[in-house]
Every structure is written in C-alpha cells, then in structure tokens.
Amino acid sequence: MNPPLQVDTARTGQELETLASFSDAPAPAVTRVLFTEQDVAARAYLKGLMAQAGLTIRQDAVGNLFGRWPGTDPDIPAVATGSHTDAIPHSGRFDGTVGVLGGLEAIRALQRAGVRLRRSIELIMFTAEEPTRFGLGCLGSRLLSGSLDPARAATLCDSEGRSLEQVRTQAGLDEALSTVPLPTGHYDAFVELHIEQGPILEREGIDIGVVTAIAAPATIRISLRGAGGHAGATLMPGRRDAFLAAAEVGLAVERAALKSNSPDAVATTGICRIHPAAVNSIPSQAQLEIDVRDTKLDVRDAIVDAIRAATDQICARRNIEFTVEILNADPPATCAASIISAIDETCQDAQLSSRRMVSRAYHDSLFMARITPTAMIFIPCRRGVSHRPDEYASPDAIQRGILALAGTLARLAS
C-alpha cells in the first residue's frame, strides 16, 4: 500500500513566485506574451523543473511543451494534465500557472509516494491560451486538437505585422506547423487544474469545483462607417456619428444576454475603436469586438443573432453602414462522466468538499475535449478576481487542488 500523498506547498509557492518574475510588468502585475524574451525565459525555467522531476521533455512546432513520466506500459495512451503560462498585460500570477506547476507537483507527489502507474502521465504547457499576441485564444491547443488549420495559423499576424511563422522561427521552432495536431486517442484522458476565476467556491466555502461543462465564445467584430466632420460646424440633425451607433450596439449586446434568460449567458463589448479619435471631430468610423458565451450552443447563437438584428435596426435608423464578422464561434464542451466520477471519488477519499459547476471562462480543455475525454478541477480564488494583479489563490487552496489532481491522475492512469 502506498503512503498518503504529500504536497510540497512551499516549493510550489516558490515556483509560482519565480515564474511570476518573468514579466514585462513590475510586480505584483504579470505580463508574459507569447515568444517575447520573458516568455522564452519562463519556458526555459519550466523545462528545467521538468528535467529535475525526471520527465521526458519534448516541444512541438508551435511551442507546446510536454513532460512525460513513463508508466509501466509506456506504449498505451497516456493521461495528460496541464494548462498555460502566458499572461495578458497587467494580469496575475495564478491563471494557468497553477495548472502547470500544480500538475508538476502532482506528478512529484505521486513519485514521492512510490506510486507505479500503468499509463504514463504527461504534463502539457500549452502555447498562448491568451489571445494577446495574435488575437486568437488557445492557439496551442487549437492546433494540437486539429481545431485550427495549420495553414491558417501560419498567416496570423500580431499588431506589428509579424507573422506566427516569423516569431516562432525566431524562437527556434523550425518544424512545420502541420506536425502539431495529435490524433484522437493519443491521450486516454485530460484533466486541467485551474483557479475558478469566479466567486462561487470561496463564497460557499467549498474546496473543489468539479467542472461539468465549459462555455465557449463567439467573437464578433462589428465595423461601422458614418460621416466625419468638424465638431463645431456640423449641426446635430444631419450627423452620422459612428460612435453613437456603436454605443447603442454596445447596449444592445447587454440587452441580448439579459433577455436570453440563461444563467450562464454573458456578452461583453471589450473593444471599441473610433476614428479619427480627435476631441473636435465627429467619429466617422467605429469598430467593436464582442465576446458572447454560454454553455448551450443554441442560446449562445441566439444571442449572436439578436445582436446582428439590433445592429441592423440601429444603423438603419442612424444612416450608418456596417459589416458584421464572426471571428470565431467554438462549440461548448461537455466534460467526461468517467473523469468527473474520478474527481468525485478522489475528493471523498481525501475529505475535500466539492460541488459540480460549469466553467464560464474557456480554457485549453475546451479543445482537448475534441480529441480525448476531458474534465477540469477548480480551486477558489479570492473574491473571484482574475486577469488582475490582485488575483490570488491561497497556498491551502492550491494544496487541496493538487491533492485532488494527483488522486484523479492516479485513478485514471492505474
């Protein structure tokens, strides 16, 4: 019989602190964008930790990083875990990183306990879960799962006009992107540990969230064209102000989500650009980028349709030309019942309180669910805050999450 699993909370805390130091923003904020100098340094640090744990390391053509702990039957599909380490500008130190470093500590806890598992366990650090550089979230897992055409990925450009091909080659990744996708069945299961990024677990005093479904976004770009003019010389009745139309569209976005009557529906106008952006000039152009999510595809798509219809009515009334582009519209994912049961059993054995819940944020798990049975483990974060410098998960919460993950991995890999 193996001894109880012991989590080295202090070590994981120190590793999280060190990883947070690879940042283009001063502490406590973290900014770590794909293939920047800080991102490359963070990758090297993580590779070193994987090597210390005796993992077999490989990196694919888009920079997804893998560390494998071989099982007694290394030729059968492995069980995988992991998350991401990139961070949007001026964010926090726990989003994604808890799933990567927590996954590493889960493997080390199993190693220390002398556990021998039939299936290998593979830790994955996914490239660019955040859309910061190329405007498309979950870049690594999209490619890995075959959800993104490698030829399309190669043409993605950042705000400076640099293509993914250019920046990944500069980072030393020379293989073709066509080598990244993995076949269905490559993994036997995938489990992602993550902070909740919401207030429910902390508010209810619950240790572990067992995720049953993952919402997926539709991203809409609405471009509006009116007529510019001098702010003092153009009288009000004849104006075709693109910004005012955009403002009405933004309110319509909120209205569409509220009228859906779905508790999981959210819609956000996160970007509003206006031209020429001068205080004494009427905006002639405006561009909105809108995020719409729900765990039910029909509800999400109905909200998108409502936004389209409202935009048409607003622009007709204001004499504004417009176009609507769907930048991406990914289907939600349902988590695997077998993995949910394994998490439940692990929590019961470890005397961890748990509750089932949905993930309103999307994660790399959304795309891993397309090629393998997938589920997620959530831990509480303070006040539900995320994507801010004051994002925080306590050492105790992280420890409990790692225990839940390690026990689940052991069950799935036995």
Side-chain angles (χ1 to χ4, degrees):
M1 182 175 177
N2 294 309
L5 297 178
Q6 300 293 325
V7 173
D8 191 339
T9 311
R11 179 176 183 176
T12 301
Q14 182 58 56
E15 289 168 351
L16 284 164
E17 186 174 340
T18 301
L19 186 58
S21 71
F22 299 104
S23 172
D24 285 315
V30 178
T31 298
R32 193 164 49 244
V33 178
L34 176 64
F35 296 145
T36 59
E37 181 180 344
Q38 296 294 343
D39 180 57
V40 171
R43 289 165 175 271
Y45 173 65
L46 185 56
K47 287 178 188 176
L49 295 179
M50 287 181 173
Q52 290 171 20
L55 307 187
T56 303
I57 301 168
R58 76 176 182 92
Q59 186 170 230
D60 69 16
V62 77
N64 291 316
L65 183 61
F66 308 83
R68 179 170 289 218
W69 179 36
T72 59
D73 195 349
D75 295 327
I76 62 174
V79 172
T81 187
S83 195
H84 66 99
T85 60
D86 64 311
I88 67 169
H90 299 281
S91 61
R93 64 173 59 186
F94 299 94
D95 175 15
T97 58
V98 166
V100 177
L101 293 174
L104 178 61
E105 178 57 20
I107 292 172
R108 292 188 302 224
L110 293 168
Q111 291 172 335
R112 286 194 297 269
V115 173
R116 294 294 291 151
L117 301 171
R118 182 177 175 226
R119 296 184 186 275
S120 301
I121 295 179
E122 186 146 276
L123 175 63
I124 310 173
M125 189 283 289
F126 294 100
T127 283
E129 192 261 4
E130 305 291 3
T132 310
R133 184 154 195 178
F134 290 103
L136 186 65
C138 296
L139 177 59
S141 54
R142 283 181 193 270
L143 280 166
L144 201 69
S145 64
S147 305
L148 175 63
D149 181 4
R152 186 198 163 200
T155 66
L156 293 173
C157 289
D158 64 16
S159 60
E160 297 177 354
R162 303 187 68 202
S163 71
L164 175 60
E165 283 292 275
Q166 289 175 295
V167 298
R168 75 179 187 90
T169 301
Q170 187 176 353
L173 303 173
D174 299 323
E175 287 187 88
L177 288 176
S178 59
T179 63
V180 174
L182 297 175
T184 298
H186 180 83
Y187 292 119
D188 189 65
F190 176 78
V191 189
E192 182 172 4
L193 173 65
H194 208 281
I195 61 171
E196 182 193 349
Q197 298 180 289
I200 295 172
L201 294 176
E202 181 186 54
R203 185 173 64 220
E204 298 184 4
I206 292 174
D207 298 326
I208 299 295
V210 184
V211 177
T212 58
I214 305 167
T219 306
I220 313 166
R221 178 184 291 151
I222 299 180
S223 301
L224 306 120
R225 182 180 292 274
H230 194 288
T234 308
L235 299 180
M236 300 302 290
R239 291 192 178 192
R240 297 173 56 214
D241 188 319
F243 168 71
L244 293 181
E248 282 201 57
V249 171
L251 291 171
V253 169
E254 178 187 48
R255 214 161 34 243
L258 290 171
K259 284 187 174 181
S260 73
N261 294 320
S262 169
D264 298 321
V266 290
T268 306
T269 304
I271 294 176
C272 179
R273 304 182 183 94
I274 62 172
H275 175 83
V279 69
N280 60 346
S281 183
I282 300 164
S284 60
Q285 298 175 48
Q287 188 178 83
L288 304 176
E289 291 189 11
I290 299 158
D291 180 297
V292 182
R293 307 185 191 204
D294 198 277
T295 55
K296 296 182 177 62
L297 185 61
D298 58 342
V299 173
R300 200 255 339 254
D301 288 350
I303 295 171
V304 172
D305 290 343
I307 293 169
R308 284 179 182 270
T311 301
D312 185 71
Q313 294 170 5
I314 292 162
C315 291
R317 175 165 40 80
R318 286 186 169 274
N319 193 20
I320 299 290
E321 299 171 12
F322 73 95
T323 59
V324 178
E325 302 170 75
I326 304 297
L327 301 184
N328 65 275
D330 301 300
T334 300
C335 295
S338 58
I339 306 179
I340 290 171
S341 295
I343 300 169
D344 284 339
E345 291 166 9
T346 298
C347 289
Q348 289 168 12
D349 287 352
Q351 297 183 315
L352 298 171
S353 59
S354 67
R355 64 158 285 171
R356 296 190 176 186
M357 61 195 309
V358 300
S359 173
R360 292 176 176 84
Y362 77 104
H363 306 276
D364 291 302
S365 289
L366 181 70
F367 296 97
M368 292 301 288
R370 300 189 183 186
I371 59 170
T372 191
T374 294
M376 296 189 71
I377 295 170
F378 277 174
I379 61 171
C381 56
R382 187 170 59 196
R383 299 193 307 279
V385 165
S386 184
H387 282 195
R388 288 179 7 192
D390 55 340
E391 174 182 273
Y392 180 75
S394 72
D396 286 345
I398 293 169
Q399 180 197 36
R400 289 189 283 265
I402 294 171
L403 279 175
L405 176 62
T408 301
L409 293 175
R411 276 182 161 78
L412 297 173
S414 294

